[in-house]
Amino acid sequence: MGLTPGITFILYHIFRLVVPSVIFGFTLKVLSDRGVFGGYTLPTWLTVFGSLSFLPIIATIRIMYKSFDDRRQAAKLGARLARRIDGKSLGNVDILATMRRLWETGYIADGLIGYIGQGDPVVNLRILWSNIIFTVWPEHIKMILATDFPNYEKGKRFQYSMFSVLGSGVFNADGDMWKSMTRPFFTRDRISDFDLFDRHATTVFALIKERMRSGHAIDFQDLMSRFTLDSATEFLFGHCVHSLTAGIPYPHNAIYVPPDSATPQAKRANEFATAFAQAQEVISSRERYGWIWPIMEIFEDRTKKPMETVRAYLDPIIQDAIVKNDNAPKTGSEKSESHVEEGETLIDHLVRLSSGRDTTAATLTFVIYLLAMHPVVHARLREEVLEKVGSNRRPDYDDIRDMKYLRAVINETLRLFPIVPFNTRDNIHATTWPSPDPTQKPIYIPAGTKIPYSVFLMHRRKDLWGPDAEEFDPDRFLDDRLKKYLVKNSFIFLPFNAGPRICLGQQFAYNEMSFMLIRLVQQFTRVTLDEAAAPPHAKPPAHWKNGVGRKTIERVYPKSHLTMYAQGGLWVRMTEAEFNA
């Protein structure tokens, strides 16, 4: 039985902090006994006090020197330090506590919005005396992701907090290890595998129709999570887990809920999905606590139990896929249906599964949410679908490519609700960033600085997107605003990251989302929110209405772990098209 993260953390810091203090105190005692202090013998209380004071004094000196050295190095480069946020408590612990509280009860990015002004989108939060330089400026994000890419890495701190779930897979690796993992994966014949999509979409529509005819609302987010899980496991492993057959949830206010008739296999798929979500929530929480996160896991590694469930479920599937892949013909018309190779770990496939599943499920959830909020957009999208594809025909790759309004709806959803709202890097070498204010000096970034950035906040900046930046309007990707804002600076829109680490499954996700939306609007003419069916924790807090921005009008509770989701689900009702009635 291994040590928990918390115990490991404590033992490490005992050795690192206590041992030097003890050595210092012992040294004082020895020197005193040998008369080094002019024959004066230090009393025991003074020796103990010196021992206890040693580390705080050394730490204070180091902190002060680091601040001095940062100013000196910045001055050498003709730069300035990022604006520092000073809280009311030592080490800005009050800021950390506020961030934690707002993460639980606030809107996404609440707490940060107050620090990031339109004119100064870069701040140093300086939590526990560590530089944390947060930015939402596109030129800085461009440097991190593209133009100065080799100088930025995920970093050891991030990798350690994520390792128990993400391992050293492609989303957690740096340098040569990362390069070795980015082999071509989503090939053209796979990203347009519409047979796979259609099989699972047909099951989805049958479930929606059955639920609508029973008079109950349906949790569309849950449905999309199952659809994308079934699609992703079949795509990756050649083995569908059939989570769509596991029995979908009923509204919390349903008077009668039929007995569960799910198969054991489908129930295990449910357990896997729940466990994986729990593991993601844990590692996301670790990142929010910063370097002290192990203290919150003194008694147990909180990812251990959910990851045991994940491994027990996926390991047999992966091994089966490897055997089938090894036995399949390597050439000719018959090819292995899986994308599993010998030597690849569960983590390698888990991160691919996560990227393929979470991106699509979350985006489709928020698309339907926004279509329910904007029936005019839904009607116009359906008009394009009927014109380009018709009411029954299955779309193909060329149909999807030609449907401009559909792409605009997806892009506008990704702008307002990007799947990964926050990300982070560490810089390897000291550097400077251009100042958002051209009248000021560049900003100095010390080596080894933790650099979080938020595309969520950047996508909603009015100085980058116009005065209506927080409104849902797909036409901004079609009219003059496209040229005015996006064309002149493409890095203001980064739903799939950018540069060498751009999302490997981007086109697969676009195709899967587009296919599902086309088929959905063919089948259903209207979608409405059923807020009464949603559980209490799914409803936005009443105090949001007194705030500013989009949160005053939200009718779901947007949350995030590694990716965005609607807390408590998205409960909707849909109206079947007449020819399907």
Side-chain angles (χ1 to χ4, degrees), residues 167-178:
S168 55
V170 65
F171 296 111
N172 203 28
D174 285 316
D176 293 337
M177 181 178 291
W178 172 76

Side-chain angles (χ1 to χ4, degrees), residues 485-545:
Y485 298 111
L486 184 57
V487 171
K488 72 177 184 180
N489 187 357
S490 62
F491 271 78
I492 69 172
F493 182 57
L494 300 174
F496 291 100
N497 225 335
R501 293 191 83 129
I502 194 167
C503 176
L504 301 176
Q506 174 179 349
Q507 195 55 52
F508 176 84
Y510 267 123
N511 281 352
E512 187 176 20
M513 291 185 289
S514 298
F515 185 92
M516 171 54 80
L517 288 171
I518 290 170
R519 295 303 256 171
L520 191 71
V521 298
Q522 284 178 324
Q523 299 277 329
F524 303 95
T525 60
R526 188 165 177 260
V527 56
T528 56
L529 299 177
D530 189 341
E531 293 168 89
H537 67 280
K539 298 171 183 177
H543 69 264
W544 283 12
K545 292 186 181 297

